[in-house]
Amino acid sequence: MSVDRTGIQDVHALWLQTLDFLHYNAPQLWADMLQQEGVTFLMPPAVAALERVQDQAAALANAESRRLRKADLFYITREAAESVAVIGVPCIAQIASIVPSPSGLMVWEEPPVRIDRGVVLRAVSWGPSYDGGTWWSWWTDTAACVRAGIAEPTMLMIHGGLAFHEEVHTEPDF
């Protein structure tokens, strides 16, 4: 089985592609997803109060874009991940201990976990939330999703190298 790799030279490009996705494609894609049964997004109260799903999706994409624009960029080698025992889905406290930055995007050389059919968590981004806590976003490898048959090849053009997977909110003083 081959292991997906992303070089340190690719981190800036992944960051730019993700910003483009959030600006151009996320609002419509996420609005479509919000209208599907069983699909939910974690939302701040002010966003949840918006009546139209299009407005909710645009607000979520704008907030994620604001966080990512301020992000410090990190690349974690296999050796660095092993030195802090990152195995499986890393906990937020582990990530904070590795890269103590208020806002960032961390990309793994070798992803610590496979989710389904070869799809890997490729990156995590984080930044301040509306309440002083932190929003954490987990990103999968879009190419791995295409190879696994979970996504169409056109998704590489829509998402870029990272596909949004899920978001977690931690309270202030977590």
Side-chain angles (χ1 to χ4, degrees):
M1 173 185 298
S2 68
V3 175
D4 293 334
R5 294 193 183 274
T6 299
I8 193 168
Q9 70 278 1
D10 300 317
V11 174
H12 189 260
L14 288 171
W15 175 74
L16 287 173
Q17 291 170 12
T18 304
L19 283 173
D20 281 349
F21 164 72
L22 292 166
H23 180 74
Y24 295 109
N25 298 323
Q28 184 59 53
L29 184 65
W30 292 355
D32 292 345
M33 291 173 69
L34 282 167
Q35 294 177 54
Q36 294 175 14
E37 186 175 331
V39 176
T40 60
F41 280 75
L42 186 61
M43 294 188 204
V47 175
L50 297 171
E51 289 185 30
R52 295 176 357 116
V53 295
Q54 292 82 359
D55 295 336
Q56 291 174 341
L60 291 171
N62 287 336
E64 187 68 26
S65 179
R66 281 192 307 275
R67 285 189 291 277
L68 210 53
R69 281 194 309 265
K70 296 177 183 178
D72 294 325
L73 304 180
F74 300 94
Y75 178 75
I76 303 300
T77 64
R78 179 178 342 137
E79 293 81 18
E82 289 171 358
S83 73
V84 291
V86 174
I87 299 168
V89 178
C91 73
I92 291 168
Q94 279 181 314
I95 293 167
S97 74
I98 299 169
V99 285
S101 176
S103 187
L105 170 70
M106 184 173 78
V107 178
W108 284 279
E109 174 186 19
E110 190 170 307
V113 68
R114 295 192 184 291
I115 298 170
D116 184 31
R117 292 189 277 170
V119 175
V120 294
L121 283 179
R122 169 62 64 205
V124 61
S125 61
W126 64 93
S129 71
Y130 66 96
D131 64 353
T134 304
W135 286 95
W136 299 82
S137 297
W138 299 95
W139 301 87
T140 58
D141 184 307
T142 309
C145 293
V146 170
R147 284 192 300 276
I150 296 169
E152 296 296 321
T154 55
M155 295 310 282
L156 283 165
M157 294 180 68
I158 294 169
H159 287 279
L162 300 177
F164 182 79
H165 179 65
E166 77 177 310
E167 195 163 51
V168 176
H169 173 258
T170 54
E171 302 287 328
D173 301 322
F174 170 76

